[in-house]
Amino acid sequence: MPCTRGVVRPSPPRRSEVGAPVTRPVGATSVPTHCPYCALQCAQSLRPAGVAADNGTGPTTVEVHGRDFPTNRGGLCQKGWTSAAVLESPERLTTPLVRDPGGRLVETSWDAALDLVAGQLLRIRAEDGPDAVAVFGGGGLTNEKAYQLGKFARVALGTANIDYNGRFCMSSAAAAANRSLGVDRGLPFPLTDLAAADAVLLLGSNLAETMPPSVAHLSGVRERGGLVVVDPRRSATADLTEDGRGLHLQPVPGTDLVVLLALVHVLLTEHLVDAAYLDERTEGLEEVRRRCALWWPERAEQVCGVPADDLRAAARLLAAASPSRGGRGAFVLTGRGVEQSRQGTATVSAAINLALVLGLPGRVGSGYGAITGQGNGQGGREHGQKSDQLPGYRMIDDPAAREHVAGVWGVDPASLPGRGRPAVELLDSLGTEGGPRALFVHGSNLRVSAPNGHHVAARLDALDLLVVCDFVPSETALLADVVLPVTQWAEEEGTMTSLEGRILRRRKAIDPPAGVRSELWVWAQLAARLGAQGVWDTDPGLVFDELARASRGGRTDYSGVSHARLDREDDSAAVWWPCPAPAPGESEHPGTPRLFLDRFPTPSGRARMVATDHLGPADDLRPEAPLYLVTGRVLQHYQSGAQTRRVDPLASAFPGPYAELHPLLAARLGVVEGQRVRLATSRGAVSVPARVTDTIRPDTVFVPFHWGGTDSINRLTTDATDPVSGMPEFKVCAVDVTAASRHSPAPHLVGSRPDGSSAPRNPLEVKA
């Protein structure tokens, strides 16, 4: 179908708006880039390692080498070292698939697949309007693709219904940071600043397993005995506090907010706060003081289970480290363990309050930060994938924002839709009366990663059309009506934004397999078939230039950045946003490594302290479900496991999930190591082998979430959400655990390490 209104540009030799064209030959030399997994974005070099034997078209695989960079210092975790293995997975998707009348996914041509999708979309929109189509994005997409996906949804499809899996990751931290600090950047300071601090409080994050190279930045604070880890498990990160190197606070699941309220109580009542900073740089202290007055340590202990003396010790340790009391500095950091909760925004607000009473944000060597999880979890939420946002972190219901972005897109501001539904609400509406009848999924494996998985599967099945772009047959792709094979990280150009707000270059090292296309090309082709207005570039450098213009003047201003600048500058530093475009005659903006040094970007220039109180989990303990279920990750796997479960060394280290049980709980249940246990909630049941360990509370069971099918623990988790952020409460719910059947212990459950050995864990063991 010809394009009737829009313009689709092919991919010419790239010339960014600033600088000379980039002409680096693909595969000619070692290519500097970054890891495809978490938001630490460790630096790598990819070296082509072979030429296709059949047609000599070019390299088919790459060798991965560590590359010196401030965050990883040349080291990579096991996932990073094996990242190239997914490129040559025998399950790699290389041809479009459509579901035939018999229910099978069969190969077809790109034209046939895109014509089918466009025809269905035109029919559905004609019958029920543009909001009958929905889009679900991902935090692993490049900035260019995240931006273009938001534009595709709102211009080509005309739908308000777009959200992404970052709603499961950073939404609570983002909501709290925006309302208290005026801007949402995971770490508003370089990660390397942690090294010189006297204290770091880490809540709800197991860095030693999720981001192993980052642990090196904690060595200084550990030497000074200042690492405080809050976690109901004695995780690999909590182990770092042993031998006098810090404190491990082990609260009842879902009570981290109580811990924070008690810490602030101690600081206020013992006059350990930075009074001058509070007077000059904050507002809202008195209401926070009134709320925290109710949470003296002895009362807090009765709810959270952390001894009152430990709460006081932690508060005093943080106070001694703060600059106002002569310390070298302190940091308060939060992660998913406290954010994936119906009171996640409140908990992060309390963590920010703690940092503010200590006078930390906006001081070099101190601060508050949220540890972003997904590879582009930061950039992915800045440029239009969220249901309420436009590029540059502009709000979609702001008339000025709509006018600016519509001007860049070449459309009437009135044509842009309004706010859509956040992720859980959007998924719940699929296939219902008045809800979306068609769904595009990009960079997300909803069948495994979304809460209350049975319900999500039912909603996906109720759709008229499910289109999934992926490079492997994920559990969600296998449910689709149309599957479109797309490029992986080593096969594409683009940018990512790390947990520190660094804008990084992702570079192409090899050509994708024949038949594989970039999502930029897919959206351009569909935009043409749908008669969409505007320009639909397929070259990532040109798309970034448009993103930069759209972000200009926004909270996340990328307008002074381009691919050419990133390629020209020292890649060991990259560029931190905000980085506005210079005025005529001015030099380039250097970027902003540290925020809040002079003021907070709030109307008053002060940080807002937000008073909060404890509610507890939505699905709390009861006689038929007397234990807490908490979920999390293991070192070898990432997210839903769609990639890492296809890498032999990673899959063999952890071939399936397990349930951690305390010896007291195991004895009460009559369960031994390796025996299967049945975990049941009001939403479903799962049977997994038991791992008996004293590293977990006796009232708590831990299961990692990286597997699908009958092993998917998210079939049990609740879809209750935070009322502010829309974040689902993944991390805690009530569960019943019973012995299932006896069998030989699984090899990976013997001892305390995934390799079966009984040696202690060493989370600092990062290969360089």
Side-chain angles (χ1 to χ4, degrees):
M1 179 181 297
C3 175
T4 57
R5 295 195 301 174
V7 177
V8 180
R9 290 179 180 165
S11 298
R14 177 163 56 80
R15 179 182 297 272
S16 201
E17 288 186 346
V18 182
V22 177
T23 58
R24 184 186 63 256
V26 173
T29 59
S30 182
V31 178
T33 189
H34 293 264
C35 180
Y37 291 114
C38 78
L40 195 61
Q41 285 294 286
C42 294
Q44 299 176 323
S45 291
L46 303 181
R47 184 174 301 159
V51 176
D54 55 344
N55 57 14
T57 56
T60 56
T61 59
V62 294
E63 296 174 354
V64 175
H65 299 268
R67 185 164 62 88
D68 191 33
F69 194 72
T71 51
N72 66 306
R73 299 173 178 173
L76 300 171
C77 75
Q78 192 174 1
K79 293 187 292 292
W81 287 114
T82 60
S83 54
V86 185
L87 294 167
E88 50 192 358
S89 169
E91 296 181 84
R92 180 70 190 272
L93 296 170
T94 58
T95 304
L97 306 173
V98 298
R99 197 166 298 278
D100 70 7
R104 299 171 302 167
L105 284 171
V106 297
E107 294 184 356
T108 190
S109 69
W110 272 102
D111 278 340
L114 295 173
D115 287 345
L116 172 64
V117 170
Q120 290 274 56
L121 293 176
L122 290 169
R123 177 182 61 83
I124 291 170
R125 289 198 313 182
E127 292 172 355
D128 288 319
D131 285 346
V133 181
V135 175
F136 202 94
L141 300 179
T142 62
N143 287 317
E144 294 78 2
K145 291 194 287 188
Y147 167 81
Q148 198 82 317
L149 182 57
K151 177 182 173 182
F152 176 75
R154 294 178 174 109
V155 176
L157 299 177
T159 182
N161 285 319
I162 175 172
D163 212 64
Y164 80 129
N165 62 15
R167 185 71 65 176
F168 304 157
C169 177
M170 286 300 298
S171 56
S172 290
N178 279 324
R179 72 182 185 182
S180 289
L181 306 176
V183 71
D184 159 33
R185 195 173 94 184
L187 300 185
F189 48 79
L191 182 67
T192 52
D193 282 3
L194 299 180
D198 276 342
V200 173
L201 173 64
L202 188 60
L203 300 113
S205 181
N206 185 10
L207 282 178
E209 293 196 76
T210 59
M211 297 179 176
S214 69
V215 172
H217 300 288
L218 299 175
S219 58
V221 72
R222 293 176 65 228
E223 289 174 3
R224 294 183 281 277
L227 180 61
V228 183
V229 176
V230 181
D231 197 320
R233 301 170 62 224
R234 195 171 74 242
S235 64
T237 305
D239 281 347
L240 299 176
T241 65
E242 293 182 348
D243 302 321
R245 296 183 176 183
L247 298 171
H248 174 210
L249 309 183
Q250 201 164 2
V252 173
T255 64
D256 309 271
L257 178 52
V258 173
V259 172
L260 289 164
L261 293 168
L263 294 179
V264 175
H265 174 98
V266 173
L267 295 172
L268 290 169
T269 57
E270 296 188 7
H271 306 290
L272 299 176
V273 302
D274 187 340
Y277 178 99
L278 288 169
D279 287 344
E280 296 168 7
R281 302 208 62 188
T282 72
E283 56 194 25
L285 173 63
E286 290 312 309
E287 183 58 28
V288 169
R289 189 192 302 275
R290 282 192 288 272
R291 297 283 185 92
C292 291
L294 303 174
W295 290 102
W296 59 93
E298 285 74 18
R299 184 199 174 200
E301 178 181 351
Q302 298 305 307
V303 177
C304 71
V306 177
D309 287 346
D310 289 351
L311 293 169
R312 289 191 172 91
R316 292 165 184 167
L317 186 155
L318 291 166
S322 66
S324 68
R325 304 188 70 79
R328 302 186 190 200
F331 291 90
V332 177
L333 305 177
T334 62
R336 302 304 81 70
V338 300
E339 297 163 12
Q340 289 177 331
S341 162
R342 73 160 174 167
Q343 56 185 27
T345 303
T347 302
V348 176
S349 294
I352 294 173
N353 290 342
L354 174 63
L356 291 171
V357 298
L358 291 167
L360 307 181
R363 277 201 166 121
V364 176
S366 294
Y368 160 77
I371 300 167
T372 307
Q374 295 186 82
N376 201 30
Q378 182 68 56
R381 67 182 183 270
E382 294 170 354
H383 299 299
Q385 287 192 95
K386 288 181 78 172
S387 62
D388 57 352
Q389 288 180 197
L390 290 170
Y393 223 124
R394 291 178 161 93
M395 304 314 293
I396 199 166
D397 51 8
D398 176 358
R402 294 170 65 86
E403 182 175 2
H404 173 81
V405 174
V408 174
W409 288 350
V411 299
D412 183 348
S415 70
L416 298 179
R419 288 177 178 247
R421 300 176 172 101
V424 173
E425 184 182 338
L426 176 61
L427 296 176
D428 189 52
S429 71
L430 298 177
T432 63
E433 186 172 356
R437 295 169 52 192
L439 177 69
F440 284 82
V441 178
H442 300 270
S444 187
N445 188 8
L446 288 168
R447 184 64 182 86
V448 177
S449 63
N452 196 0
H454 282 304
H455 179 67
V456 170
R459 299 277 38 90
L460 294 175
D461 286 343
L463 291 165
D464 291 358
L465 176 67
L466 175 61
V467 181
V468 175
C469 283
D470 214 329
F471 47 83
V472 292
S474 68
E475 286 80 359
T476 306
L478 293 175
L479 296 176
D481 300 294
V482 180
V483 181
L484 303 178
V486 294
T487 50
Q488 293 191 57
W489 106 107
E491 301 162 352
E492 63 185 15
E493 297 281 339
T495 59
M496 306 285 277
T497 304
S498 75
L499 78 170
E500 308 166 289
R502 295 182 197 248
I503 306 167
L504 307 169
R505 276 287 275 120
R506 171 174 285 187
R507 295 183 175 92
K508 182 177 179 179
I510 59 172
D511 291 323
V516 171
R517 303 286 186 269
S518 166
E519 284 102 326
L520 297 179
W521 181 88
V522 171
W523 298 325
Q525 292 292 315
L526 287 172
R529 286 166 167 81
L530 297 172
Q533 291 183 321
V535 173
W536 298 89
D537 282 308
T538 60
D539 179 83
L542 296 174
V543 174
F544 187 93
D545 290 338
E546 185 179 304
L547 177 162
R549 294 196 303 275
S551 74
R552 185 167 189 164
R555 279 185 280 180
T556 59
D557 191 334
Y558 283 37
S559 61
V561 185
S562 66
H563 282 205
R565 176 177 177 178
L566 294 173
D567 288 334
R568 185 176 69 246
E569 294 193 353
D570 181 3
D571 192 59
S572 67
V575 179
W576 280 271
W577 67 258
C579 184
E586 292 184 354
S587 58
E588 289 181 328
H589 191 282
T592 314
R594 296 176 180 86
L595 301 180
F596 318 135
L597 297 181
D598 300 316
R599 69 185 305 277
F600 294 95
T602 62
S604 67
R606 296 168 174 256
R608 306 181 190 98
M609 302 186 75
V610 179
T612 63
D613 211 343
H614 175 67
L615 294 175
D619 186 12
D620 213 342
L621 302 188
R622 51 192 182 276
E624 65 273 20
L627 299 167
Y628 290 108
L629 170 65
V630 298
T631 65
R633 308 181 187 190
V634 297
L635 184 150
Q636 286 78 9
H637 289 293
Y638 179 72
Q639 301 294 79
S640 72
Q643 298 169 75
T644 53
R645 285 187 273 122
R646 290 173 166 84
V647 177
D648 287 343
L650 305 179
S652 60
F654 267 114
Y658 57 89
E660 283 187 356
L661 309 179
H662 191 277
L664 293 175
L665 175 59
R668 180 164 66 81
L669 298 174
V671 170
V672 298
E673 179 84 3
Q675 181 179 349
R676 297 192 79 82
V677 292
R678 181 178 184 271
L679 293 85
T681 71
S682 58
R683 294 159 294 280
V686 169
S687 177
V688 296
R691 169 178 284 180
V692 181
T693 173
D694 64 359
T695 62
I696 195 164
R697 293 176 54 94
D699 58 0
T700 303
V701 180
F702 167 82
V703 182
F705 58 70
H706 308 289
W707 292 269
T710 58
D711 286 336
S712 175
I713 198 62
N714 276 329
R715 302 196 306 166
L716 276 61
T717 53
T718 175
D719 54 7
T721 57
D722 182 296
V724 178
S725 68
M727 169 83 82
E729 193 164 50
F730 281 111
K731 281 295 182 277
V732 58
C733 66
V735 66
D736 184 39
V737 181
T738 55
S741 60
R742 293 183 177 273
H743 68 99
S744 299
H748 70 290
L749 296 177
V750 178
S752 61
R753 299 186 68 177
D755 61 6
S757 70
S758 57
R761 295 171 292 182
N762 181 9
L764 296 176
E765 203 170 16
V766 180
K767 180 180 174 185

